Amino acid sequence: NAGVMQNPRHLVRRRGQEARLRCSPMKGHSHVYWYRQLPEEGLKFMVYLQKENIIDESGMPKERFSAEFPKEGPSILRIQQVVRGDSAAYFCASSPSGQGEQFFGPGTRLTVL
Amino acid sequence: RKEVEQDPGPFNVPEGATVAFNCTYSNSASQSFFWYRQDCRKEPKLLMSVYSSGNEDGRFTAQLNRASQYISLLIRDSKLSDSATYLCVALLYNFNKFYFGSGTKLNVKP
């Protein structure tokens, strides 16, 4: 059973470009969470999704950030018009039920030049 | 006040030592708890789940004290490979909310 997969593992963007981060949950998991981690800081919750639904986006910045988890395919975290402050590691986690353990992907390291 | 609070450390201990971390949570409705370890620049990995009063797995023991609203993690006979950041997590079932602490850093030295 493959674990949570994220791609790309490293992404470099120039200011003003768009960044798309993908997350494929573990097989059988329908709950996906996105977190951001700045260097030397803790995980910050961004958004929680189930298939085709955003359940909780209380941690998501109001502008430039969006997330989706379509019926088919991976979950996507999209950052428009990136700025240097968006540089961070973005982790995705999945859970089978939303009431048990979360399992994390290897993360995408975004660098904004 | 943060939902989950941890001492950031670092805890510097010699190999073979016993070390304990505490984690406090603010919401008494929290129902499940987890300890994750995170190595530098890697993803968090699940270490232990704590659903009732405690759990033990080899050298690792987690205990839950609901009256005082804290969870502890005890590591016996520390190994160099235990060096990592340990994250405490509280789960609120009703809201499917996971609250992560900022982590406690452990350095095990030879």
Side-chain angles (χ1 to χ4, degrees), chain A residues 33 35 37 42-43 48 56 58 91 98-102 104-106 109, chain B residues 34 36 38 41-44 46 49 51 87 91 93 96-98 100 102:
Chain A
Y33 307 80
Y35 297 87
Q37 188 171 38
L43 286 169
Y48 163 34
D56 181 354
S58 58
F91 290 101
Q99 294 188 350
E101 299 88 346
Q102 293 185 3
F104 282 81
R109 276 171 179 76
Chain B
F34 309 93
Y36 284 76
Q38 186 175 25
R41 299 182 65 76
K42 295 287 184 72
E43 73 272 25
L46 180 67
S49 305
Y51 291 107
L87 306 173
L91 168 59
Y93 281 169
N96 283 353
K97 293 280 282 191
F98 289 80
F100 279 79
S102 297

PDB file of all heavy atoms in Angstrom, chain A residues 33 35 37 42-43 48 56 58 91 98-102 104-106 109, chain B residues 34 36 38 41-44 46 49 51 87 91 93 96-98 100 102:
ATOM      1  N   TYR A  33      -5.522  16.705   4.302  1.00  0.00           N
ATOM      2  CA  TYR A  33      -5.193  17.920   5.051  1.00  0.00           C
ATOM      3  C   TYR A  33      -3.924  18.515   4.456  1.00  0.00           C
ATOM      4  O   TYR A  33      -3.001  17.786   4.109  1.00  0.00           O
ATOM      5  CB  TYR A  33      -4.920  17.587   6.530  1.00  0.00           C
ATOM      6  CG  TYR A  33      -6.023  16.799   7.203  1.00  0.00           C
ATOM      7  CD1 TYR A  33      -6.131  15.422   7.022  1.00  0.00           C
ATOM      8  CD2 TYR A  33      -6.953  17.425   8.034  1.00  0.00           C
ATOM      9  CE1 TYR A  33      -7.132  14.694   7.636  1.00  0.00           C
ATOM     10  CE2 TYR A  33      -7.956  16.697   8.648  1.00  0.00           C
ATOM     11  CZ  TYR A  33      -8.037  15.332   8.434  1.00  0.00           C
ATOM     12  OH  TYR A  33      -9.043  14.610   9.048  1.00  0.00           O
ATOM     13  N   TYR A  35      -0.799  21.329   5.261  1.00  0.00           N
ATOM     14  CA  TYR A  35      -0.106  22.095   6.288  1.00  0.00           C
ATOM     15  C   TYR A  35       1.057  22.847   5.660  1.00  0.00           C
ATOM     16  O   TYR A  35       1.641  22.395   4.670  1.00  0.00           O
ATOM     17  CB  TYR A  35       0.458  21.168   7.382  1.00  0.00           C
ATOM     18  CG  TYR A  35      -0.575  20.397   8.158  1.00  0.00           C
ATOM     19  CD1 TYR A  35      -1.051  19.172   7.702  1.00  0.00           C
ATOM     20  CD2 TYR A  35      -1.072  20.881   9.367  1.00  0.00           C
ATOM     21  CE1 TYR A  35      -2.000  18.456   8.419  1.00  0.00           C
ATOM     22  CE2 TYR A  35      -2.016  20.168  10.095  1.00  0.00           C
ATOM     23  CZ  TYR A  35      -2.467  18.960   9.606  1.00  0.00           C
ATOM     24  OH  TYR A  35      -3.407  18.250  10.326  1.00  0.00           O
ATOM     25  N   GLN A  37       4.854  24.655   6.708  1.00  0.00           N
ATOM     26  CA  GLN A  37       5.875  24.722   7.747  1.00  0.00           C
ATOM     27  C   GLN A  37       7.000  25.628   7.272  1.00  0.00           C
ATOM     28  O   GLN A  37       7.677  25.329   6.280  1.00  0.00           O
ATOM     29  CB  GLN A  37       6.412  23.337   8.089  1.00  0.00           C
ATOM     30  CG  GLN A  37       7.328  23.324   9.297  1.00  0.00           C
ATOM     31  CD  GLN A  37       7.680  21.913   9.748  1.00  0.00           C
ATOM     32  OE1 GLN A  37       7.877  21.017   8.930  1.00  0.00           O
ATOM     33  NE2 GLN A  37       7.764  21.701  11.059  1.00  0.00           N
ATOM     34  N   GLY A  42       6.710  25.375  13.623  1.00  0.00           N
ATOM     35  CA  GLY A  42       5.818  24.219  13.667  1.00  0.00           C
ATOM     36  C   GLY A  42       4.918  24.154  12.449  1.00  0.00           C
ATOM     37  O   GLY A  42       4.895  25.042  11.609  1.00  0.00           O
ATOM     38  N   LEU A  43       4.143  23.062  12.389  1.00  0.00           N
ATOM     39  CA  LEU A  43       3.164  22.881  11.310  1.00  0.00           C
ATOM     40  C   LEU A  43       1.990  23.817  11.522  1.00  0.00           C
ATOM     41  O   LEU A  43       1.467  23.921  12.627  1.00  0.00           O
ATOM     42  CB  LEU A  43       2.633  21.451  11.331  1.00  0.00           C
ATOM     43  CG  LEU A  43       3.546  20.353  10.827  1.00  0.00           C
ATOM     44  CD1 LEU A  43       2.968  19.001  11.175  1.00  0.00           C
ATOM     45  CD2 LEU A  43       3.757  20.459   9.339  1.00  0.00           C
ATOM     46  N   TYR A  48      -8.740  21.440   5.180  1.00  0.00           N
ATOM     47  CA  TYR A  48      -9.134  20.035   5.312  1.00  0.00           C
ATOM     48  C   TYR A  48     -10.205  19.768   4.262  1.00  0.00           C
ATOM     49  O   TYR A  48     -11.197  20.498   4.170  1.00  0.00           O
ATOM     50  CB  TYR A  48      -9.658  19.808   6.728  1.00  0.00           C
ATOM     51  CG  TYR A  48     -10.487  18.565   6.981  1.00  0.00           C
ATOM     52  CD1 TYR A  48     -10.243  17.358   6.321  1.00  0.00           C
ATOM     53  CD2 TYR A  48     -11.510  18.607   7.926  1.00  0.00           C
ATOM     54  CE1 TYR A  48     -11.012  16.240   6.580  1.00  0.00           C
ATOM     55  CE2 TYR A  48     -12.283  17.485   8.191  1.00  0.00           C
ATOM     56  CZ  TYR A  48     -12.028  16.303   7.526  1.00  0.00           C
ATOM     57  OH  TYR A  48     -12.790  15.189   7.793  1.00  0.00           O
ATOM     58  N   ASP A  56     -12.942  22.464   6.040  1.00  0.00           N
ATOM     59  CA  ASP A  56     -12.442  23.500   6.943  1.00  0.00           C
ATOM     60  C   ASP A  56     -11.274  24.189   6.260  1.00  0.00           C
ATOM     61  O   ASP A  56     -10.272  23.557   5.986  1.00  0.00           O
ATOM     62  CB  ASP A  56     -11.997  22.854   8.268  1.00  0.00           C
ATOM     63  CG  ASP A  56     -11.473  23.848   9.298  1.00  0.00           C
ATOM     64  OD1 ASP A  56     -11.329  25.048   8.982  1.00  0.00           O
ATOM     65  OD2 ASP A  56     -11.208  23.419  10.438  1.00  0.00           O
ATOM     66  N   SER A  58     -10.124  27.201   7.531  1.00  0.00           N
ATOM     67  CA  SER A  58      -9.872  28.290   8.477  1.00  0.00           C
ATOM     68  C   SER A  58      -8.400  28.714   8.531  1.00  0.00           C
ATOM     69  O   SER A  58      -8.091  29.810   8.964  1.00  0.00           O
ATOM     70  CB  SER A  58     -10.348  27.904   9.881  1.00  0.00           C
ATOM     71  OG  SER A  58      -9.705  26.727  10.316  1.00  0.00           O
ATOM     72  N   PHE A  91       3.110  20.290   3.479  1.00  0.00           N
ATOM     73  CA  PHE A  91       2.863  18.869   3.708  1.00  0.00           C
ATOM     74  C   PHE A  91       1.380  18.565   3.531  1.00  0.00           C
ATOM     75  O   PHE A  91       0.514  19.336   3.951  1.00  0.00           O
ATOM     76  CB  PHE A  91       3.277  18.463   5.128  1.00  0.00           C
ATOM     77  CG  PHE A  91       4.760  18.470   5.352  1.00  0.00           C
ATOM     78  CD1 PHE A  91       5.368  19.526   6.019  1.00  0.00           C
ATOM     79  CD2 PHE A  91       5.557  17.419   4.899  1.00  0.00           C
ATOM     80  CE1 PHE A  91       6.736  19.544   6.236  1.00  0.00           C
ATOM     81  CE2 PHE A  91       6.922  17.420   5.108  1.00  0.00           C
ATOM     82  CZ  PHE A  91       7.520  18.487   5.779  1.00  0.00           C
ATOM     83  N   GLY A  98     -11.000  10.749   9.220  1.00  0.00           N
ATOM     84  CA  GLY A  98     -11.037  12.065   9.842  1.00  0.00           C
ATOM     85  C   GLY A  98     -11.086  12.000  11.353  1.00  0.00           C
ATOM     86  O   GLY A  98     -11.089  13.018  12.031  1.00  0.00           O
ATOM     87  N   GLN A  99     -11.096  10.762  11.901  1.00  0.00           N
ATOM     88  CA  GLN A  99     -11.147  10.640  13.353  1.00  0.00           C
ATOM     89  C   GLN A  99     -10.060   9.734  13.884  1.00  0.00           C
ATOM     90  O   GLN A  99     -10.177   9.176  14.958  1.00  0.00           O
ATOM     91  CB  GLN A  99     -12.521  10.113  13.776  1.00  0.00           C
ATOM     92  CG  GLN A  99     -13.634  11.095  13.489  1.00  0.00           C
ATOM     93  CD  GLN A  99     -14.963  10.662  14.065  1.00  0.00           C
ATOM     94  OE1 GLN A  99     -15.098   9.544  14.531  1.00  0.00           O
ATOM     95  NE2 GLN A  99     -15.940  11.545  14.033  1.00  0.00           N
ATOM     96  N   GLY A 100      -9.011   9.579  13.139  1.00  0.00           N
ATOM     97  CA  GLY A 100      -7.901   8.750  13.572  1.00  0.00           C
ATOM     98  C   GLY A 100      -6.601   9.369  13.123  1.00  0.00           C
ATOM     99  O   GLY A 100      -6.525  10.557  12.844  1.00  0.00           O
ATOM    100  N   GLU A 101      -5.593   8.538  13.055  1.00  0.00           N
ATOM    101  CA  GLU A 101      -4.268   9.033  12.714  1.00  0.00           C
ATOM    102  C   GLU A 101      -4.236   9.644  11.312  1.00  0.00           C
ATOM    103  O   GLU A 101      -4.966   9.229  10.413  1.00  0.00           O
ATOM    104  CB  GLU A 101      -3.248   7.881  12.767  1.00  0.00           C
ATOM    105  CG  GLU A 101      -3.105   7.214  14.111  1.00  0.00           C
ATOM    106  CD  GLU A 101      -4.089   6.072  14.326  1.00  0.00           C
ATOM    107  OE1 GLU A 101      -5.056   5.954  13.563  1.00  0.00           O
ATOM    108  OE2 GLU A 101      -3.866   5.306  15.283  1.00  0.00           O
ATOM    109  N   GLN A 102      -3.322  10.618  11.175  1.00  0.00           N
ATOM    110  CA  GLN A 102      -3.021  11.175   9.860  1.00  0.00           C
ATOM    111  C   GLN A 102      -1.677  10.647   9.425  1.00  0.00           C
ATOM    112  O   GLN A 102      -0.769  10.475  10.249  1.00  0.00           O
ATOM    113  CB  GLN A 102      -2.935  12.704   9.922  1.00  0.00           C
ATOM    114  CG  GLN A 102      -4.248  13.389  10.225  1.00  0.00           C
ATOM    115  CD  GLN A 102      -4.115  14.891  10.150  1.00  0.00           C
ATOM    116  OE1 GLN A 102      -3.075  15.446   9.828  1.00  0.00           O
ATOM    117  NE2 GLN A 102      -5.205  15.585  10.435  1.00  0.00           N
ATOM    118  N   PHE A 104       1.461  11.383   6.717  1.00  0.00           N
ATOM    119  CA  PHE A 104       1.983  12.510   5.951  1.00  0.00           C
ATOM    120  C   PHE A 104       2.737  12.077   4.710  1.00  0.00           C
ATOM    121  O   PHE A 104       3.421  11.046   4.686  1.00  0.00           O
ATOM    122  CB  PHE A 104       2.936  13.335   6.832  1.00  0.00           C
ATOM    123  CG  PHE A 104       2.214  14.231   7.797  1.00  0.00           C
ATOM    124  CD1 PHE A 104       1.711  13.727   8.980  1.00  0.00           C
ATOM    125  CD2 PHE A 104       2.024  15.571   7.508  1.00  0.00           C
ATOM    126  CE1 PHE A 104       1.032  14.544   9.874  1.00  0.00           C
ATOM    127  CE2 PHE A 104       1.348  16.396   8.396  1.00  0.00           C
ATOM    128  CZ  PHE A 104       0.852  15.877   9.572  1.00  0.00           C
ATOM    129  N   GLY A 105       2.653  12.921   3.684  1.00  0.00           N
ATOM    130  CA  GLY A 105       3.492  12.779   2.516  1.00  0.00           C
ATOM    131  C   GLY A 105       4.842  13.424   2.767  1.00  0.00           C
ATOM    132  O   GLY A 105       5.042  14.094   3.790  1.00  0.00           O
ATOM    133  N   PRO A 106       5.776  13.265   1.819  1.00  0.00           N
ATOM    134  CA  PRO A 106       7.145  13.772   1.996  1.00  0.00           C
ATOM    135  C   PRO A 106       7.249  15.283   1.882  1.00  0.00           C
ATOM    136  O   PRO A 106       8.291  15.854   2.201  1.00  0.00           O
ATOM    137  CB  PRO A 106       7.930  13.091   0.881  1.00  0.00           C
ATOM    138  CG  PRO A 106       6.903  12.812  -0.168  1.00  0.00           C
ATOM    139  CD  PRO A 106       5.632  12.529   0.559  1.00  0.00           C
ATOM    140  N   ARG A 109       8.773  21.315  -1.197  1.00  0.00           N
ATOM    141  CA  ARG A 109       9.509  22.508  -0.756  1.00  0.00           C
ATOM    142  C   ARG A 109       9.438  23.568  -1.838  1.00  0.00           C
ATOM    143  O   ARG A 109       9.974  23.391  -2.913  1.00  0.00           O
ATOM    144  CB  ARG A 109      10.946  22.144  -0.416  1.00  0.00           C
ATOM    145  CG  ARG A 109      10.998  21.634   0.996  1.00  0.00           C
ATOM    146  CD  ARG A 109      12.275  21.039   1.469  1.00  0.00           C
ATOM    147  NE  ARG A 109      12.103  20.630   2.852  1.00  0.00           N
ATOM    148  CZ  ARG A 109      11.433  19.535   3.231  1.00  0.00           C
ATOM    149  NH1 ARG A 109      10.925  18.733   2.341  1.00  0.00           N
ATOM    150  NH2 ARG A 109      11.285  19.255   4.508  1.00  0.00           N
TER     151      ARG A 109
ATOM    152  N   PHE B  34      -1.967  11.999  19.840  1.00  0.00           N
ATOM    153  CA  PHE B  34      -0.937  11.300  19.081  1.00  0.00           C
ATOM    154  C   PHE B  34       0.402  11.953  19.341  1.00  0.00           C
ATOM    155  O   PHE B  34       0.485  13.153  19.597  1.00  0.00           O
ATOM    156  CB  PHE B  34      -1.235  11.377  17.562  1.00  0.00           C
ATOM    157  CG  PHE B  34      -2.641  10.963  17.205  1.00  0.00           C
ATOM    158  CD1 PHE B  34      -3.651  11.894  17.109  1.00  0.00           C
ATOM    159  CD2 PHE B  34      -2.938   9.629  16.966  1.00  0.00           C
ATOM    160  CE1 PHE B  34      -4.954  11.522  16.783  1.00  0.00           C
ATOM    161  CE2 PHE B  34      -4.226   9.239  16.644  1.00  0.00           C
ATOM    162  CZ  PHE B  34      -5.231  10.191  16.555  1.00  0.00           C
ATOM    163  N   TYR B  36       3.978  12.375  17.207  1.00  0.00           N
ATOM    164  CA  TYR B  36       4.691  12.200  15.958  1.00  0.00           C
ATOM    165  C   TYR B  36       6.142  12.590  16.189  1.00  0.00           C
ATOM    166  O   TYR B  36       6.430  13.430  17.041  1.00  0.00           O
ATOM    167  CB  TYR B  36       4.128  13.135  14.868  1.00  0.00           C
ATOM    168  CG  TYR B  36       2.801  12.704  14.271  1.00  0.00           C
ATOM    169  CD1 TYR B  36       1.615  12.879  14.964  1.00  0.00           C
ATOM    170  CD2 TYR B  36       2.742  12.145  12.991  1.00  0.00           C
ATOM    171  CE1 TYR B  36       0.405  12.498  14.407  1.00  0.00           C
ATOM    172  CE2 TYR B  36       1.535  11.760  12.429  1.00  0.00           C
ATOM    173  CZ  TYR B  36       0.371  11.938  13.147  1.00  0.00           C
ATOM    174  OH  TYR B  36      -0.838  11.564  12.599  1.00  0.00           O
ATOM    175  N   GLN B  38       9.470  14.178  14.020  1.00  0.00           N
ATOM    176  CA  GLN B  38       9.833  14.812  12.757  1.00  0.00           C
ATOM    177  C   GLN B  38      11.330  15.022  12.747  1.00  0.00           C
ATOM    178  O   GLN B  38      11.875  15.727  13.601  1.00  0.00           O
ATOM    179  CB  GLN B  38       9.096  16.142  12.553  1.00  0.00           C
ATOM    180  CG  GLN B  38       9.356  16.745  11.185  1.00  0.00           C
ATOM    181  CD  GLN B  38       8.554  17.999  10.900  1.00  0.00           C
ATOM    182  OE1 GLN B  38       8.140  18.714  11.801  1.00  0.00           O
ATOM    183  NE2 GLN B  38       8.311  18.274   9.613  1.00  0.00           N
ATOM    184  N   ARG B  41      13.840  18.496   8.116  1.00  0.00           N
ATOM    185  CA  ARG B  41      13.484  18.597   6.706  1.00  0.00           C
ATOM    186  C   ARG B  41      12.747  17.359   6.176  1.00  0.00           C
ATOM    187  O   ARG B  41      12.717  17.109   4.983  1.00  0.00           O
ATOM    188  CB  ARG B  41      14.723  18.880   5.852  1.00  0.00           C
ATOM    189  CG  ARG B  41      15.400  20.189   6.225  1.00  0.00           C
ATOM    190  CD  ARG B  41      16.601  20.460   5.334  1.00  0.00           C
ATOM    191  NE  ARG B  41      16.243  20.665   3.943  1.00  0.00           N
ATOM    192  CZ  ARG B  41      15.710  21.764   3.456  1.00  0.00           C
ATOM    193  NH1 ARG B  41      15.447  22.788   4.250  1.00  0.00           N
ATOM    194  NH2 ARG B  41      15.425  21.866   2.167  1.00  0.00           N
ATOM    195  N   LYS B  42      12.146  16.606   7.106  1.00  0.00           N
ATOM    196  CA  LYS B  42      11.361  15.451   6.675  1.00  0.00           C
ATOM    197  C   LYS B  42       9.915  15.621   7.147  1.00  0.00           C
ATOM    198  O   LYS B  42       9.599  16.528   7.909  1.00  0.00           O
ATOM    199  CB  LYS B  42      11.933  14.168   7.286  1.00  0.00           C
ATOM    200  CG  LYS B  42      13.341  13.821   6.814  1.00  0.00           C
ATOM    201  CD  LYS B  42      13.331  13.311   5.405  1.00  0.00           C
ATOM    202  CE  LYS B  42      14.689  12.867   4.908  1.00  0.00           C
ATOM    203  NZ  LYS B  42      15.118  11.609   5.520  1.00  0.00           N
ATOM    204  N   GLU B  43       9.077  14.675   6.702  1.00  0.00           N
ATOM    205  CA  GLU B  43       7.681  14.753   7.127  1.00  0.00           C
ATOM    206  C   GLU B  43       7.505  14.163   8.523  1.00  0.00           C
ATOM    207  O   GLU B  43       8.271  13.297   8.944  1.00  0.00           O
ATOM    208  CB  GLU B  43       6.767  13.996   6.130  1.00  0.00           C
ATOM    209  CG  GLU B  43       6.856  12.473   6.193  1.00  0.00           C
ATOM    210  CD  GLU B  43       7.941  11.911   5.306  1.00  0.00           C
ATOM    211  OE1 GLU B  43       8.924  12.632   5.005  1.00  0.00           O
ATOM    212  OE2 GLU B  43       7.803  10.740   4.912  1.00  0.00           O
ATOM    213  N   PRO B  44       6.466  14.588   9.249  1.00  0.00           N
ATOM    214  CA  PRO B  44       6.159  13.969  10.541  1.00  0.00           C
ATOM    215  C   PRO B  44       5.769  12.506  10.343  1.00  0.00           C
ATOM    216  O   PRO B  44       5.067  12.168   9.389  1.00  0.00           O
ATOM    217  CB  PRO B  44       4.960  14.781  11.056  1.00  0.00           C
ATOM    218  CG  PRO B  44       4.995  16.064  10.292  1.00  0.00           C
ATOM    219  CD  PRO B  44       5.546  15.711   8.951  1.00  0.00           C
ATOM    220  N   LEU B  46       4.132   9.114  12.430  1.00  0.00           N
ATOM    221  CA  LEU B  46       3.376   8.716  13.608  1.00  0.00           C
ATOM    222  C   LEU B  46       4.219   7.812  14.501  1.00  0.00           C
ATOM    223  O   LEU B  46       4.775   6.812  14.045  1.00  0.00           O
ATOM    224  CB  LEU B  46       2.098   7.988  13.178  1.00  0.00           C
ATOM    225  CG  LEU B  46       1.196   7.516  14.308  1.00  0.00           C
ATOM    226  CD1 LEU B  46       0.597   8.709  15.049  1.00  0.00           C
ATOM    227  CD2 LEU B  46       0.075   6.632  13.755  1.00  0.00           C
ATOM    228  N   SER B  49      -0.265   6.398  19.178  1.00  0.00           N
ATOM    229  CA  SER B  49      -1.620   6.917  19.361  1.00  0.00           C
ATOM    230  C   SER B  49      -1.997   6.700  20.823  1.00  0.00           C
ATOM    231  O   SER B  49      -1.609   5.696  21.425  1.00  0.00           O
ATOM    232  CB  SER B  49      -2.604   6.151  18.475  1.00  0.00           C
ATOM    233  OG  SER B  49      -2.187   6.199  17.135  1.00  0.00           O
ATOM    234  N   TYR B  51      -5.377   6.644  23.012  1.00  0.00           N
ATOM    235  CA  TYR B  51      -6.833   6.746  23.010  1.00  0.00           C
ATOM    236  C   TYR B  51      -7.423   6.675  24.411  1.00  0.00           C
ATOM    237  O   TYR B  51      -8.481   7.193  24.662  1.00  0.00           O
ATOM    238  CB  TYR B  51      -7.448   5.638  22.148  1.00  0.00           C
ATOM    239  CG  TYR B  51      -7.174   5.818  20.670  1.00  0.00           C
ATOM    240  CD1 TYR B  51      -6.269   5.000  20.012  1.00  0.00           C
ATOM    241  CD2 TYR B  51      -7.802   6.819  19.948  1.00  0.00           C
ATOM    242  CE1 TYR B  51      -6.016   5.167  18.662  1.00  0.00           C
ATOM    243  CE2 TYR B  51      -7.551   6.991  18.599  1.00  0.00           C
ATOM    244  CZ  TYR B  51      -6.660   6.156  17.969  1.00  0.00           C
ATOM    245  OH  TYR B  51      -6.408   6.323  16.642  1.00  0.00           O
ATOM    246  N   LEU B  87       6.267  15.899  18.131  1.00  0.00           N
ATOM    247  CA  LEU B  87       5.058  16.718  18.009  1.00  0.00           C
ATOM    248  C   LEU B  87       3.904  16.047  18.740  1.00  0.00           C
ATOM    249  O   LEU B  87       3.651  14.861  18.560  1.00  0.00           O
ATOM    250  CB  LEU B  87       4.669  16.885  16.533  1.00  0.00           C
ATOM    251  CG  LEU B  87       5.734  17.419  15.593  1.00  0.00           C
ATOM    252  CD1 LEU B  87       5.252  17.374  14.148  1.00  0.00           C
ATOM    253  CD2 LEU B  87       6.082  18.855  15.966  1.00  0.00           C
ATOM    254  N   LEU B  91      -6.929  15.634  19.026  1.00  0.00           N
ATOM    255  CA  LEU B  91      -7.995  15.524  18.033  1.00  0.00           C
ATOM    256  C   LEU B  91      -9.343  15.754  18.689  1.00  0.00           C
ATOM    257  O   LEU B  91      -9.665  15.136  19.711  1.00  0.00           O
ATOM    258  CB  LEU B  91      -7.963  14.131  17.406  1.00  0.00           C
ATOM    259  CG  LEU B  91      -9.174  13.709  16.551  1.00  0.00           C
ATOM    260  CD1 LEU B  91      -9.383  14.648  15.378  1.00  0.00           C
ATOM    261  CD2 LEU B  91      -9.008  12.280  16.076  1.00  0.00           C
ATOM    262  N   TYR B  93     -13.075  15.107  17.942  1.00  0.00           N
ATOM    263  CA  TYR B  93     -13.896  14.327  17.021  1.00  0.00           C
ATOM    264  C   TYR B  93     -14.995  15.159  16.383  1.00  0.00           C
ATOM    265  O   TYR B  93     -15.240  15.091  15.193  1.00  0.00           O
ATOM    266  CB  TYR B  93     -14.554  13.161  17.750  1.00  0.00           C
ATOM    267  CG  TYR B  93     -13.655  11.969  17.993  1.00  0.00           C
ATOM    268  CD1 TYR B  93     -14.068  10.953  18.837  1.00  0.00           C
ATOM    269  CD2 TYR B  93     -12.408  11.857  17.397  1.00  0.00           C
ATOM    270  CE1 TYR B  93     -13.266   9.863  19.076  1.00  0.00           C
ATOM    271  CE2 TYR B  93     -11.602  10.769  17.638  1.00  0.00           C
ATOM    272  CZ  TYR B  93     -12.035   9.770  18.482  1.00  0.00           C
ATOM    273  OH  TYR B  93     -11.252   8.685  18.724  1.00  0.00           O
ATOM    274  N   ASN B  96     -13.596  17.175  13.702  1.00  0.00           N
ATOM    275  CA  ASN B  96     -12.499  16.589  12.923  1.00  0.00           C
ATOM    276  C   ASN B  96     -11.306  17.531  12.889  1.00  0.00           C
ATOM    277  O   ASN B  96     -10.680  17.723  11.857  1.00  0.00           O
ATOM    278  CB  ASN B  96     -12.964  16.292  11.488  1.00  0.00           C
ATOM    279  CG  ASN B  96     -13.805  15.037  11.422  1.00  0.00           C
ATOM    280  OD1 ASN B  96     -13.943  14.321  12.417  1.00  0.00           O
ATOM    281  ND2 ASN B  96     -14.377  14.769  10.285  1.00  0.00           N
ATOM    282  N   LYS B  97     -11.008  18.142  14.026  1.00  0.00           N
ATOM    283  CA  LYS B  97      -9.904  19.101  14.082  1.00  0.00           C
ATOM    284  C   LYS B  97      -8.702  18.455  14.754  1.00  0.00           C
ATOM    285  O   LYS B  97      -8.811  17.900  15.855  1.00  0.00           O
ATOM    286  CB  LYS B  97     -10.309  20.336  14.904  1.00  0.00           C
ATOM    287  CG  LYS B  97     -11.378  21.178  14.278  1.00  0.00           C
ATOM    288  CD  LYS B  97     -10.877  22.093  13.199  1.00  0.00           C
ATOM    289  CE  LYS B  97     -10.179  23.319  13.735  1.00  0.00           C
ATOM    290  NZ  LYS B  97      -9.928  24.317  12.674  1.00  0.00           N
ATOM    291  N   PHE B  98      -7.592  18.538  14.091  1.00  0.00           N
ATOM    292  CA  PHE B  98      -6.327  18.088  14.657  1.00  0.00           C
ATOM    293  C   PHE B  98      -5.525  19.322  15.059  1.00  0.00           C
ATOM    294  O   PHE B  98      -5.329  20.208  14.245  1.00  0.00           O
ATOM    295  CB  PHE B  98      -5.508  17.306  13.617  1.00  0.00           C
ATOM    296  CG  PHE B  98      -6.069  15.954  13.294  1.00  0.00           C
ATOM    297  CD1 PHE B  98      -7.132  15.824  12.415  1.00  0.00           C
ATOM    298  CD2 PHE B  98      -5.514  14.808  13.856  1.00  0.00           C
ATOM    299  CE1 PHE B  98      -7.650  14.579  12.105  1.00  0.00           C
ATOM    300  CE2 PHE B  98      -6.034  13.561  13.540  1.00  0.00           C
ATOM    301  CZ  PHE B  98      -7.097  13.445  12.674  1.00  0.00           C
ATOM    302  N   PHE B 100      -1.898  20.595  16.339  1.00  0.00           N
ATOM    303  CA  PHE B 100      -0.495  20.213  16.495  1.00  0.00           C
ATOM    304  C   PHE B 100       0.205  21.172  17.432  1.00  0.00           C
ATOM    305  O   PHE B 100       0.058  22.397  17.315  1.00  0.00           O
ATOM    306  CB  PHE B 100       0.216  20.249  15.135  1.00  0.00           C
ATOM    307  CG  PHE B 100      -0.001  19.033  14.293  1.00  0.00           C
ATOM    308  CD1 PHE B 100      -1.183  18.867  13.577  1.00  0.00           C
ATOM    309  CD2 PHE B 100       0.971  18.039  14.205  1.00  0.00           C
ATOM    310  CE1 PHE B 100      -1.393  17.742  12.804  1.00  0.00           C
ATOM    311  CE2 PHE B 100       0.771  16.907  13.421  1.00  0.00           C
ATOM    312  CZ  PHE B 100      -0.411  16.763  12.724  1.00  0.00           C
ATOM    313  N   SER B 102       3.887  22.808  18.706  1.00  0.00           N
ATOM    314  CA  SER B 102       5.035  23.295  17.920  1.00  0.00           C
ATOM    315  C   SER B 102       6.240  22.363  17.991  1.00  0.00           C
ATOM    316  O   SER B 102       7.197  22.564  17.248  1.00  0.00           O
ATOM    317  CB  SER B 102       5.444  24.686  18.402  1.00  0.00           C
ATOM    318  OG  SER B 102       4.399  25.604  18.179  1.00  0.00           O
TER     319      SER B 102
END
